[in-house]
C-alpha cells in the first residue's frame, strides 16, 4: 500500500501556475516593504488557488510481483563423468533451499541436455527461455556446469543486464588426453588403402609427450605405434572387403586421467568396388543372350567382356577362317593370362567344342578356389556329353545332369532353402503367379543349396561355396521368357542381380548374417540364417561391459532382439557374437565437441561472469550463500552471490480522498479572510 498527494485542477494548470507566481511575488513585495497587513491578505488568495488545484490523497493497494531467477542445469554427456552429476544435484538442491528462504523470488529451472547440433549450448537455451519472461522481473541467472560450453557469447555481447553466476562441477586440476580424427574418407576402393589423419592432444598442453596408439581393423589387432602429443598421425588403412571396414584406435591414458572414453575412436569406411569386371561367354546365339547383355550393360558399375561362339571350329565348309569372326577369340589371354582380373565368369548355354582345352578349365577351377565366382546357365547341351559337367568344372558345380531334358511348361518355384536364402527370400512369391518356362535339364544335387525347383521338384537353381569362391548353377536357359513378359513374366532382373551380388560376396546377401543398429539408448540386434533357431547374442561395448540379447523369430530365417544399453556409446564400437558369427557395429552420432575435451574449466565462462559482476566457484569447495541485493549494489562477494531485487508490483485498486472539497474549502477561505480582517482591525 502506498499513499501520495495528487491534484485534479478545476482550471488550466498553466493559469494556476501563473496566478500562483503572482501571489508569491505579491507576498515577497509585502515582506520587502514590511507591509504586514498586505502580507496577510496573501493567505486567502493562496487558499483559493489551492482549492482550484483540488488536492487529494491517493492510496494504491499494490500486489508485489515476484522476481525471477533462472537456474540452468547442465545435463549434457560430459556432466555424467566421475562425480559431476552428483555435484550438480547437490548444488541444485543447495540453490533451491537458499532461494526458498528469500522473499518474493520465483525459481525457473532450465534443464539442458545434449543438443542435436552437437556440444553443450547453455546460452542458446537460456536466451530462448528468457524470451518468454518479463525482463524487468529478472533477478539473475545461475549456471551449474563443468564449464565446457560451446555457445559462449562474444565478450562484447556478454552483458546480460542481470547478475550472472556460475557453479562449476568437477575439479580445477583435472587432466585429459583425447584422440581426434582430423580427416577420414567415408569410402574407398576395395583392395586399396585410404589415408586417415589422427591427432593426440593433452590438456593442459604437453606438446611432444609420447604415447602408444593401438590399432585394430575389423576387430583384428593390426599394429601398435608410438605417437607424440600435438602431432598429426597419418594412417594407411587397407580396405579388405566391400561394406563397412571398421578401424578402432586407442591411445594410452595419462597418469591420473579420469575419463578414458575420448582416448579411443572408431572409424567406419565403406569399401566399394571401382567397377565389376564380368566375363560372359555365350555358347551360341539364343533369345536369352540379350537378357544377360541388357542386365550387365545397363549397370554403370559393370565392365562387361562378352564373347559369343558362332561356329563349331570342327565344322567343315569352304569359308576362310579369317572371315569366321569379327575378332579372334582370345581364349589363352582370357582364361590363362588375365582370368584373375575378372570378378565373375558366366557360361551361358556353353557346350564343349574344343575351343577351351582342359588346362583352361583347370585354371578356372583354381580361380574359383582362390576366391573367384562362376555362374553357369545351362542349355539343352548340358544334358549331353558336350555339357560343361564333362569338364574339370564338375569338381565345383553343385548340380549334376542325369541325362534327361524336359521341354514342357512348368512354373519355377522357391522352395526349401530358397525361402530363407537372401538371394531368393525377398522375391515375395513362391511361384504362384509367375510365367512358365519350357526347358529344364534334369539333375541331382551334389553339394550346396537348392533355392528354386522346376517340374516335380527337380533342382533348378543351386548355389555352392568352393574354397574361397562361389558357384551358381541354373538348369535352364529360359529365364528370358520372364524378361519378355510371357504369361505375366517374373522377377528376372531381381533374381539375376541378387545372384551376381551373392557371387561377389555382397555382405547383405550372406546366408548367415548378424548385424545391429543403435537408436538413442536402444540397441536392436538382427540375425538372418538358414537354420530354424538362433542363439542369444553376446554384446560387448568398448568399455568391456558384456550383455546378452535374446532373439525372437520375426520371419522365416529372421530373428530380432532389443536391449537398453544404459550408457552413451556414440562414436564407439560394439562387438556382437552369436552362433559362431562375430561382427562390429560402429555407433554413429558421437558428439565430437562433448568428447573432444572433458576437463572442467573456469576460464571459458569468466568473460561473461566478469561482464555481469557475478560469482564463479567450484562446487567441491564451500557452496556460496544466496542473497537479495538492490539494483545499484554489487551482485556478488566473498562466499555469496546476489539476486537483484527489482521491486515490481501491480496496482489492485486506488482510493482517493479530496483535501479541499465543497463546504470545507469555503469555510477555510472565509476563516482566512475573517482572520485577516481581525488582524487589520487591531
Amino acid at each position: 500500500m502506498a499513499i501520495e498527494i495528487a491534484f485534479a485542477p478545476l482550471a488550466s494548470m498553466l493559469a494556476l501556475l501563473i496566478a500562483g507566481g503572482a501571489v508569491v511575488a505579491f507576498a515577497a513585495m509585502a515582506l520587502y516593504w514590511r507591509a504586514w497587513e498586505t502580507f496577510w491578505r496573501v493567505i486567502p488568495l493562496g487558499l483559493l488557488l489551492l482549492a482550484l488545484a483540488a488536492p487529494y490523497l491517493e492510496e494504491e493497494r499494490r500486489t508485489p510481483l515476484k522476481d525471477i531467477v533462472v537456474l540452468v542445469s547442465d545435463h549434457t554427456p560430459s556432466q555424467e563423468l566421475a562425480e559431476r552429476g552428483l555435484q550438480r544435484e547437490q548444488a541444485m538442491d543447495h540453490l533451491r533451499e537458499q532461494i526458498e528462504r528469500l522473499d518474493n523470488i520465483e525459481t525457473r529451472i532450465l534443464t539442458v541436455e545434449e543438443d542435436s547440433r552437437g556440444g553443450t549450448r547453455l546460452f542458446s537455451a537460456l536466451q530462448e527461455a528468457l524470451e518468454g519472461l518479463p525482463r524487468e522481473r529478472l533477478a539473475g541467472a545461475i549456471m551449474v556446469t563443468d564449464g565446457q560450453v560451446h555457445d559462449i557469447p562474444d565478450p562484447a555481447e556478454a552483458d546480460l543486464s542481470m547478475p550472472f553466476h556460475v557453479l562449476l562441477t568437477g575439479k580445477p586440476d583435472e587432466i585429459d588426453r583425447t584422440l581426434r580424427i582430423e580427416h577420414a574418407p567415408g569410402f574407398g576402393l576395395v583392395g586399396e588403402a585410404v589415408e586417415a589423419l589422427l591427432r593426440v592432444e593433452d590438456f593442459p598442453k604437453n606438446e611432444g609427450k609420447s604415447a602408444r596408439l593401438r590399432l585394430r581393423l575389423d576387430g583384428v589387432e593390426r599394429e601398435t605405434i608410438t605417437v607424440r602429443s600435438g602431432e598429426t598421425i597419418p594412417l594407411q588403412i587397407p580396405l579388405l572387403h566391400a561394406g563397412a571396414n571398421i578401424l578402432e584406435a586407442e591411445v594410452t591414458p595419462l597418469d591420473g586421467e579420469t575419463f578414458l572414453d575420448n582416448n579411443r575412436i572408431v572409424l567406419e569406411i565403406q569399401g566399394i568396388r571401382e567397377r565389376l569386371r564380368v566375363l560372359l561367354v555365350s555358347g551360341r546365339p539364343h533369345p536369352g543372350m540379350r537378357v544377360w547383355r541388357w542386365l550387365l550393360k545397363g549397370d554403370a558399375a559393370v565392365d562387361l567382356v562378352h564373347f559369343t561362339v558362332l561356329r563349331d571350329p570342327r565344322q567343315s565348309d569352304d569359308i576362310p577362317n579369317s572371315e569366321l569372326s569379327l575378332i579372334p577369340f582370345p581364349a589363352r589371354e582370357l582364361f590363362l593370362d588375365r582370368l584373375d582380373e575378372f570378378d565373375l565368369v558366366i557360361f551361358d548355354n556353353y557346350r564343349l567344342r574344343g575351343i577351351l582345352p582342359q588346362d583352361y578349365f583347370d585354371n578356372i577351377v583354381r580361380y574359383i578356389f582362390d576366391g573367384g565366382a562362376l555362374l553357369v546357365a545351362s542349355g539343352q547341351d548340358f544334358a549331353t556329353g558336350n555339357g560343361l559337367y564333362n569338364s574339370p568344372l564338375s569338381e565345383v558345380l553343385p548340380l549334376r545332369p542325369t541325362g534327361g531334358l524336359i521341354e514342357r511348361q512348368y512354373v519355377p518355384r522357391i522352395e526349401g532353402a530358397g525361402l530363407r536364402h537372401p538371394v531368393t527370400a525377398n522375391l515375395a512369391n513362391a511361384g504362384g503367379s509367375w510365367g512358365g518356362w519350357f526347358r529344364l535339364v534334369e539333375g541331382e544335387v551334389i553339394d550346396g543349396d537348392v533355392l528354386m525347383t522346376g517340374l516335380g521338384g527337380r533342382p533348378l537353381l543351386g548355389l555352392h561355396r568352393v574354397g574361397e569362391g562361389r558357384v551358381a548353377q541354373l538348369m535352364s536357359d529360359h529365364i528370358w521368357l520372364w524378361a519378355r513378359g510371357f504369361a505375366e513374366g517374373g522377377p528376372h532382373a531381381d533374381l539375376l542381380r541378387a545372384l551376381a551380388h551373392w557371387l561377389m560376396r555382397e555382405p547383405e546377401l550372406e546366408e548367415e548374417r548378424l548385424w545391429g543398429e543403435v537408436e538413442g539408448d536402444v540397441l536392436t540386434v538382427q540375425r538372418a540364417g538358414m537354420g530354424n533357431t538362433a542363439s542369444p547374442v553376446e554384446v560387448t561395448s568398448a568399455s568391456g561391459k558384456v550383455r546378452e540379447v535374446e532373439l525372437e523369430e520375426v520371419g522365416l530365417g529372421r530373428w530380432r532382439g532389443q536391449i537398453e544399453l544404459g550408457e552413451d556409446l556414440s562414436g564407439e564400437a560394439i562387438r556382437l557374437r552369436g552362433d559362431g558369427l562375430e561382427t562390429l557395429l560402429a555407433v554413429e552420432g558421437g558428439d565430437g565437441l562433448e568428447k573432444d575435451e572433458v576437463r572442467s574449466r573456469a576460464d571459458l565462462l569468466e568473460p561473461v561472469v566478469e561482464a555481469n559482476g557475478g560469482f564463479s566457484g567450484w562446487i567441491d569447495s564451500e557452496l556460496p550463500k544466496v542473497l537479495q541485493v538492490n539494483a545499484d549494489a554489487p551482485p556478488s562477494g566473498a562466499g555469496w552471490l546476489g539476486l537483484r531485487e527489482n521491486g515490481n508490483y501491480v496496482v489492485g485498486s486506488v482510493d482517493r480522498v479530496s483535501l479541499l472539497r465543497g463546504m470545507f474549502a469555503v469555510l477555510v477561505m472565509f476563516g482566512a479572510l475573517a482572520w485577516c480582517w481581525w488582524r487589520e482591525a487591531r
Side-chain angles (χ1 to χ4, degrees):
M1 182 171 61
I3 300 176
E4 59 183 25
I5 297 177
F7 298 90
L10 302 177
S12 169
M13 200 64 188
L14 178 62
L16 292 177
L17 290 175
I18 294 173
V23 170
V24 171
F26 184 71
M29 292 176 60
L31 288 173
Y32 180 78
W33 296 107
R34 298 181 181 275
W36 304 114
E37 295 80 2
T38 303
F39 175 77
W40 298 119
R41 295 175 185 174
V42 173
I43 296 176
L45 291 175
L47 290 173
L48 176 61
L49 292 177
L50 187 61
L52 291 175
Y56 61 88
L57 290 177
E58 185 176 81
E59 179 183 0
E60 292 183 348
R61 300 188 183 277
R62 300 176 178 177
T63 301
L65 291 177
K66 291 184 177 183
D67 292 328
I68 300 174
V69 57
V70 181
L71 302 184
V72 183
S73 181
D74 184 354
H75 283 248
T76 56
S78 64
Q79 271 291 91
E80 306 308 319
L81 306 178
E83 301 295 326
R84 295 182 192 179
L86 178 60
Q87 289 179 329
R88 178 193 62 215
E89 298 309 313
Q90 290 174 344
M92 292 296 293
D93 291 341
H94 170 79
L95 291 173
R96 282 191 289 262
E97 181 182 345
Q98 288 280 309
I99 293 172
E100 286 176 359
R101 297 176 180 177
L102 303 178
D103 295 330
N104 219 35
I105 291 284
E106 179 181 337
T107 302
R108 301 287 178 89
I109 297 177
L110 182 60
T111 299
V112 181
E113 298 181 347
E114 185 175 6
D115 192 272
S116 58
R117 297 166 292 178
T120 300
R121 302 187 179 274
L122 301 186
F123 284 93
S124 299
L126 176 61
Q127 291 295 341
E128 185 177 344
L130 293 180
E131 288 178 0
L133 300 176
R135 292 281 177 165
E136 65 276 6
R137 292 176 56 193
L138 294 177
I142 307 174
M143 279 188 180
V144 182
T145 177
D146 55 16
Q148 289 289 352
V149 182
H150 304 105
D151 64 344
I152 300 174
D154 186 88
E157 303 173 357
D159 185 5
L160 300 177
S161 300
M162 64 176 176
F164 176 77
H165 312 288
V166 174
L167 297 183
L168 293 162
T169 61
K171 298 179 181 180
D173 56 351
E174 291 178 346
I175 61 174
D176 184 43
R177 168 173 285 170
T178 182
L179 179 61
R180 296 173 176 169
I181 302 174
E182 287 198 341
H183 168 74
F187 60 90
L189 299 179
V190 174
E192 298 186 8
V194 297
E195 184 176 76
L197 301 179
L198 306 185
R199 188 180 182 89
V200 176
E201 291 283 359
D202 291 343
F203 303 100
K205 295 290 185 181
N206 193 0
E207 303 290 347
K209 186 177 180 64
S210 64
R212 301 287 288 170
L213 182 64
R214 178 187 178 194
L215 302 173
R216 288 187 295 180
L217 185 60
D218 290 332
V220 178
E221 293 288 341
R222 181 167 178 78
E223 60 180 327
T224 300
I225 60 177
T226 300
V227 298
R228 295 188 179 277
S229 174
E231 295 182 0
T232 298
I233 309 152
L235 295 178
Q236 296 296 318
I237 306 171
L239 302 185
L240 305 178
H241 55 82
N245 293 257
I246 299 177
L247 175 73
E248 298 173 87
E250 184 174 0
V251 67
T252 53
L254 293 167
D255 292 337
E257 187 177 1
T258 302
F259 178 63
L260 302 180
D261 283 9
N262 61 356
N263 290 46
R264 56 180 177 262
I265 58 96
V266 175
L267 181 59
E268 180 178 311
I269 304 174
Q270 291 294 324
I272 61 173
R273 299 182 187 273
E274 183 179 16
R275 293 181 70 82
L276 302 176
R277 291 181 55 82
V278 178
L279 173 60
L280 171 61
V281 180
S282 297
R284 68 175 70 193
H286 69 104
M289 190 172 65
R290 291 185 178 181
V291 175
W292 293 106
R293 288 189 61 84
W294 288 339
L295 178 69
L296 297 171
K297 294 292 286 185
D299 191 338
V302 172
D303 278 338
L304 176 64
V305 177
H306 184 195
F307 285 93
T308 303
V309 179
L310 301 176
R311 177 180 179 275
D312 194 321
R314 293 168 296 186
Q315 181 176 335
S316 298
D317 51 38
D318 296 328
I319 302 175
N321 289 336
S322 60
E323 299 179 12
L324 290 179
S325 62
L326 298 177
I327 61 172
F329 184 35
R332 178 179 179 83
E333 181 181 1
L334 293 176
F335 293 101
L336 286 184
D337 299 337
R338 303 182 60 182
L339 182 62
D340 291 331
E341 296 180 9
F342 292 98
D343 299 295
L344 173 62
V345 176
I346 302 175
F347 281 108
D348 169 36
N349 229 314
Y350 187 85
R351 62 177 175 173
L352 300 177
R353 297 181 174 186
I355 297 176
L356 299 180
Q358 180 168 325
D359 58 337
Y360 286 21
F361 286 110
D362 288 335
N363 196 44
I364 296 174
V365 173
R366 190 273 314 161
Y367 158 80
I368 295 170
F369 272 94
D370 289 346
L374 173 68
L375 172 59
V376 175
S378 306
Q380 60 189 15
D381 293 319
F382 193 74
T384 69
N386 292 327
L388 279 175
Y389 198 83
N390 294 307
S391 73
L393 291 184
S394 61
E395 184 179 351
V396 298
L397 293 178
L399 305 177
R400 177 173 62 194
T402 57
L405 181 66
I406 298 174
E407 293 190 308
R408 63 178 185 270
Q409 186 175 7
Y410 65 93
V411 176
R413 298 187 62 85
I414 297 174
E415 294 183 335
L419 299 173
R420 297 174 179 270
H421 201 287
V423 168
T424 51
N426 296 324
L427 295 184
N429 194 313
S433 62
W434 292 341
W437 295 2
F438 290 87
R439 181 176 293 151
L440 176 65
V441 177
E442 291 191 80
E444 60 183 2
V445 181
I446 301 301
D447 208 341
D449 296 317
V450 174
L451 308 190
M452 298 178 67
T453 60
L455 193 66
R458 294 174 176 85
L460 175 61
L461 173 62
L463 303 184
H464 184 27
R465 292 173 179 262
V466 181
E468 298 296 324
R470 303 184 181 193
V471 178
Q473 187 176 0
L474 194 60
M475 300 292 278
S476 175
D477 59 350
H478 274 195
I479 195 170
W480 64 272
L481 291 171
W482 279 357
R484 297 284 182 88
F486 173 75
E488 299 184 7
H492 71 286
D494 292 338
L495 175 60
L496 295 178
R497 190 175 294 112
L499 269 177
H501 288 174
W502 177 84
L503 286 165
M504 289 180 283
R505 295 179 294 280
E506 182 68 32
E508 294 184 357
L509 288 170
E510 292 297 313
E511 296 94 322
E512 302 293 333
R513 184 172 172 234
L514 178 64
W515 73 100
E517 60 182 10
V518 175
E519 184 173 351
D521 191 38
V522 177
L523 167 65
T524 301
V525 177
Q526 299 192 64
R527 169 87 163 86
M530 302 296 290
N532 296 318
T533 61
S535 301
V537 174
E538 184 182 272
V539 179
T540 307
S541 63
S543 63
K545 186 175 182 180
V546 179
R547 307 169 180 83
E548 194 173 82
V549 183
E550 295 288 341
L551 301 182
E552 294 182 0
E553 190 170 12
V554 294
L556 199 60
R558 299 291 185 272
W559 295 268
R560 186 173 181 270
Q562 286 185 334
I563 58 168
E564 291 186 3
L565 294 171
E567 58 181 318
D568 179 22
L569 297 178
S570 299
E572 298 185 4
I574 299 176
R575 192 178 305 276
L576 308 178
R577 292 189 183 94
D579 287 327
L581 299 175
E582 182 173 334
T583 187
L584 281 178
L585 169 62
V587 184
E588 298 180 355
D591 190 346
L593 289 175
E594 275 295 299
K595 292 187 175 182
D596 186 43
E597 182 186 353
V598 296
R599 64 186 180 118
S600 295
R601 295 180 61 179
D603 58 306
L604 297 178
L605 291 170
E606 196 61 37
V608 185
V609 174
E610 290 181 356
N612 296 276
F615 174 92
S616 178
W618 299 89
I619 294 175
D620 64 345
S621 59
E622 185 176 355
L623 289 169
K625 295 181 179 179
V626 181
L627 306 176
Q628 283 181 291
V629 296
N630 295 327
D632 54 353
S636 66
W640 64 273
L641 58 85
L643 301 177
R644 185 173 61 199
E645 190 171 12
N646 296 301
N648 292 295
Y649 59 88
V650 292
V651 178
S653 62
V654 178
D655 294 331
R656 295 178 177 179
V657 178
S658 178
L659 298 178
L660 292 173
R661 182 175 60 180
M663 291 302 298
F664 176 72
V666 173
L667 291 175
V668 170
M669 285 187 291
F670 274 107
L673 288 173
W675 183 75
C676 289
W677 289 334
W678 176 76
R679 289 281 302 176
E680 291 181 5
R682 293 185 61 188

